[in-house]
Amino acid sequence: MSSPRTAPGPSKAAPSKSASGRRGEKPAIGRQGEKAAPVKASKGPKGPKGPKGPKAPKSTLPKAQPPKPPSNRAERTAERREAIIEAALDEFISRGFTATRIDDVARRAGVAKGTIYLHFKDKESMFEELIRTALVPLIGRLHAPPPIGGSVRDAVEAFARTFIQEVAATRRGDIVRLIVAEGPRFPSIADFYYREVVSRGLAGMRALIELAVSRGEIQQKNLARFPQILVAPAIIAVIWQSLFSRHAPLDAIEMFRVHLDLIFGERRTT
C-alpha cells in the first residue's frame, strides 16, 4: 500500500525539477506550458503546407479595395457638378444671364446654395464652364489635319455638318445666342468666348484655307485673311434657328454646301 502512495510523489517532483531548470519558473506556469506545447507542435507542421501558403494573399483582397469609396465620392462630386451646369444652362436660357440667380440654379439642381460655391465662385464662372465643356472640344476638331487622301473641302464640310447638328440644332446654340445678346454688357464673357472658341476656330480655319490654297483647291489666296467668310453660314444658322425658323425653316447643311461651291468650285458629278 505504501508503494502506490509514493508512486505519485516522483511524478509531482519531476515537474518541479524541470521547472527549476527553467530559471526558477513556477510549477504552475510549467504545467500550462506543457499543455500548450502539444497544441503548438500540432500546428507547426500544418503551417508550411502548400495549400495554406497561397491563401494568405486572398485574405488581403478585401482590404485592397478601399479605393472604391473615394471613387464613389468623386463620381458623386462629378454628377453634382454636372447637375449644376445643366441647371445653370436651363436658367440662363429661360431668364438670360442678367436675371439668373445662384439661388435659382441651386433650386433647379436640387443642391444647397453653398454646394454651388464649392464648384464655382459665381455665375460668370458657371457660364464659362458651359462654354468650356460644350463648345471648346468641338472647335478642337478643326486643328486635326484632313485624312490622308481627303480634300480640305471634305474636312470643312464635315466640320460644318457637325457644328450644325451639335450646336445650331441643339441647346448649345443657346449659349452662342446668349453671348451675342448679352456679350456687350458683359465684356469679360465675350473675351472668354473669343479666347477659348473664336480665336481657336479662326486659327483652325485659316490653316485649312492655306492648305487648300497650296493644293490648288482654293484659288482666292486672300481668303486666308478673312477665315470668318468660310464659317459665316454656321453663325447664320445659329441665329436663324432661334429667330426665324418657325417662319422659314432653313436647311443649314445644304446652305453650307452651296457656300463651299462658291469658294472651292462646284463638285463634279461625273
Side-chain angles (χ1 to χ4, degrees):
M1 298 295 293
S2 60
S3 56
R5 291 179 182 176
T6 56
S11 62
K12 292 181 180 179
S16 63
K17 289 179 182 180
S18 61
S20 62
R22 297 178 183 174
R23 299 181 182 177
E25 294 180 354
K26 292 182 180 181
I29 298 176
R31 291 193 189 98
Q32 290 179 359
E34 290 175 356
K35 290 180 182 179
V39 178
K40 291 180 180 178
S42 61
K43 289 183 179 179
K46 293 182 182 179
K49 284 186 179 179
K52 291 190 177 180
K55 287 184 180 179
K58 292 183 180 179
S59 63
T60 61
L61 288 178
K63 296 180 181 179
Q65 296 185 8
K68 282 190 177 180
S71 65
N72 290 338
R73 286 196 298 271
E75 289 175 3
R76 288 194 296 269
T77 300
E79 290 173 359
R80 195 175 297 117
R81 183 183 179 88
E82 184 177 351
I84 293 172
I85 293 174
E86 286 291 328
L89 178 59
D90 292 336
E91 288 295 320
F92 286 135
I93 292 174
S94 61
R95 299 174 182 269
F97 184 83
T98 304
T100 295
R101 302 183 308 164
I102 297 293
D103 304 73
D104 298 325
V105 175
R107 189 179 302 108
R108 187 183 287 268
V111 300
K113 182 178 179 180
T115 302
I116 292 183
Y117 289 110
L118 295 176
H119 298 273
F120 306 100
K121 63 179 181 179
D122 49 28
K123 67 178 182 180
E124 184 173 315
S125 64
M126 280 193 295
F127 194 81
E128 291 176 355
E129 183 66 12
L130 286 173
I131 296 173
R132 187 180 294 109
T133 57
L135 299 175
V136 171
L138 182 64
I139 297 301
R141 301 180 193 177
L142 271 177
H143 295 273
I148 298 176
S151 65
V152 173
R153 172 173 178 154
D154 291 336
V156 174
E157 192 169 338
F159 172 78
R161 187 183 302 109
T162 301
F163 183 89
I164 292 169
Q165 292 174 346
E166 297 186 13
V167 177
T170 68
R171 295 204 307 167
R172 291 177 178 176
D174 293 322
I175 301 174
V176 180
R177 287 184 281 270
L178 276 170
I179 295 169
V180 172
E182 305 203 38
R185 286 186 291 173
F186 300 94
S188 60
I189 291 178
D191 293 344
F192 180 84
Y193 183 74
Y194 178 83
R195 183 173 64 253
E196 298 294 327
V197 178
V198 176
S199 63
R200 295 183 182 185
L202 292 179
M205 278 296 171
R206 184 177 291 108
L208 287 175
I209 293 171
E210 291 173 349
L211 178 61
V213 171
S214 67
R215 290 182 175 183
E217 292 185 51
I218 293 179
Q219 302 301 320
Q220 179 54 261
K221 298 180 180 180
N222 288 328
L223 184 61
R225 295 172 52 198
F226 305 101
Q228 295 90 339
I229 295 175
L230 192 58
V231 296
I235 304 302
I236 292 174
V238 170
I239 297 174
W240 193 277
Q241 179 68 22
S242 62
L243 295 177
F244 311 120
S245 61
R246 65 182 182 276
H247 302 294
L250 177 66
D251 188 343
I253 294 178
E254 184 60 27
M255 177 183 67
F256 214 103
R257 289 198 186 100
V258 174
H259 178 69
L260 294 181
D261 283 344
L262 298 174
I263 295 174
F264 289 89
E266 293 187 21
R267 288 184 181 274
R268 295 179 180 179
T269 56
T270 57

